[in-house]
Amino acid sequence: MSQIIHAKDLRRGNTIIYKNNLLLVLENSFNKTAMREGIVKCKVKNLRTQAITTEVLTGEKLEQAPVSKVKATFSYSEGVNYIFMDNETFETVEFPVKKLEWEKNFIVDGMEVNVLKYNEEILSVDLPDQVTMEIEFAEEAVQGNSVTTALKKARLSTGYELDVPQFIKTGEKVIINTTNGTYVGRDNK
């Protein structure tokens, strides 16, 4: 039996059914005014199409979707699929690469992820908030550029390109935010 949740009680990470779509709440805001009901805006990700939209859910009563998270480890890519191994049952889970357009920038061999399932339908792969990755190539630092926020282009081993500080060199390991793909810091391990 599904539970009902009021829009004002939604939090990041909640999964809901809205207009026959299965949605994951990425961000939410609640603005209360003196004379009327509060306005609830949520940035949501459709777990079937991967589309990210903003919905105004003021006053809505929504059905919570029982989405389960299964810990899995990335094994390898095979043609149009990424293959993950369920950490408990050791069964393999195939996931189409086309559904992982953003996530594939940060998936490396042996990485542990959460596979999201609704009933038995495999929906998406949930990455850790931050990952440590190796810089495959970094531009040379510009001599004399002493601006504190000076950045240069770099490429990760997956091919993803991002801006990093001038002091980062090819071969270094850095911490990347998987939500927006930005540099967080050096991995000093």
Side-chain angles (χ1 to χ4, degrees), residues 21 29 45 56 91 130 142 145 150 171 181:
N21 291 311
S29 65
K45 178 179 183 179
V56 177
E91 294 175 355
Q130 296 181 346
V142 177
N145 192 345

Side-chain angles (χ1 to χ4, degrees), residues 5-36:
I5 187 169
H6 291 274
K8 66 182 178 176
D9 296 327
L10 286 175
R11 299 292 176 259
R12 182 179 191 267
N14 286 140
T15 50
I16 56 172
I17 297 172
Y18 180 66
K19 295 182 181 175
N20 293 323
N21 291 311
L22 194 57
L23 305 176
L24 172 66
V25 177
L26 301 175
E27 296 174 4
N28 66 310
S29 65
F30 179 74
N31 295 323
K32 180 80 173 127
T33 57
M35 297 299 289
R36 51 189 278 231

Side-chain angles (χ1 to χ4, degrees), residues 106 111-114 125-131 176-179:
F106 311 104
M111 174 185 263
E112 191 172 278
V113 299
N114 286 316
V125 172
D126 189 22
L127 298 175
D129 291 337
Q130 296 181 346
V131 294
I176 308 295
N177 179 325
T178 59
T179 306

Side-chain angles (χ1 to χ4, degrees), residues 73-85 92-98 100-101 103-108 125 158:
T73 302
F74 175 65
S75 297
Y76 59 94
S77 62
E78 181 180 76
V80 295
N81 290 318
Y82 272 24
I83 311 300
F84 297 88
M85 183 183 67
T92 57
V93 178
E94 291 186 14
F95 207 84
V97 174
K98 67 180 181 192
L100 297 173
E101 284 302 314
E103 292 86 351
K104 72 181 180 184
N105 293 314
F106 311 104
I107 296 176
V108 294
V125 172
T158 60

